[in-house]
Amino acid sequence: KGSTWKNRLGSIGIGKLNLGKLGYPIGAVQSAFNHAELHLRVEVDGKVVNDLDRPVLMVAIGNGANIGGGTEVTPHADPESGSVDVMVSRAVSPLAKLSYTMKMARAGSHLEHPDVDYHRGQTVSVSGEAFYCSADGEIYGPERQRSWHVQPGAYRFVLPPAGHQAD
């Protein structure tokens, strides 16, 4: 949904004033209100943090604070920590969804919502009803079970020497 709005708004404006990046939060709000609750079991480092009897709106797993468009879904995540942050939103009633999405628009304040839990770990497993995943804006699924684990040092970057400017 975010990419659809990004494409629609991408032709409006220039450079940093381009409205395309608004597509991600618009898509998130649209998804929240068009999305049915899911019955998922979520485990972080083997500990059940949500079971099938507690429906969820969203589960976010991040090693960085932001998703597309700059929305801070896992605002305390640190890519150098060797772990991932897991945000579970149980804001499934219409009023709770509205409150949650309003808080989501204000950097990190959604974590204060009473229907949100926040965890940190090295392995995460989600299972239950069919669900879709989004990784760097690419949506795939439906999945019924998916696990992630942190592998420290999996990404390596070659940087120019300090003080060197790219051509």
Side-chain angles (χ1 to χ4, degrees):
K1 295 208 185 276
S3 62
T4 301
W5 279 102
K6 181 181 178 197
N7 291 337
R8 287 180 188 167
L9 296 171
S11 62
I12 302 171
I14 299 171
K16 290 187 178 188
L17 297 177
N18 186 292
L19 297 180
K21 62 184 170 185
L22 291 176
Y24 292 105
I26 290 171
V29 170
Q30 187 179 21
S31 292
F33 285 98
N34 291 334
H35 186 271
E37 61 189 48
L38 290 170
H39 295 269
L40 299 175
R41 179 182 178 99
V42 181
E43 296 179 41
V44 178
D45 291 342
K47 177 184 173 194
V48 176
V49 299
N50 193 83
D51 216 340
L52 298 171
D53 61 338
R54 298 182 73 193
V56 300
L57 173 67
M58 168 190 238
V59 176
I61 303 164
N63 66 345
N66 303 325
I67 60 170
T71 303
E72 292 186 3
V73 177
T74 51
H76 304 302
D78 176 2
E80 296 182 26
S81 70
S83 60
V84 291
D85 286 18
V86 181
M87 188 277 305
V88 178
S89 172
R90 294 184 197 88
V92 295
S93 74
L95 187 58
K97 284 181 187 180
L98 178 62
S99 172
Y100 172 74
T101 55
M102 299 289 285
K103 286 182 175 287
M104 181 73 81
R106 292 191 322 262
S109 68
H110 64 289
L111 299 184
E112 300 165 6
H113 194 282
D115 293 322
V116 171
D117 286 338
Y118 200 79
H119 308 274
R120 178 170 283 160
Q122 292 185 317
T123 61
V124 180
S125 181
V126 178
S127 60
E129 292 181 337
F131 60 92
Y132 286 85
C133 299
S134 174
D136 290 331
E138 299 298 320
I139 297 173
Y140 63 93
E143 303 284 335
R144 292 194 59 92
Q145 193 283 326
R146 183 80 166 88
S147 295
W148 297 264
H149 72 276
V150 176
Q151 185 170 342
Y155 290 102
R156 296 178 192 258
F157 296 94
V158 177
L159 301 173
H164 181 269
Q165 293 183 343
D167 296 331

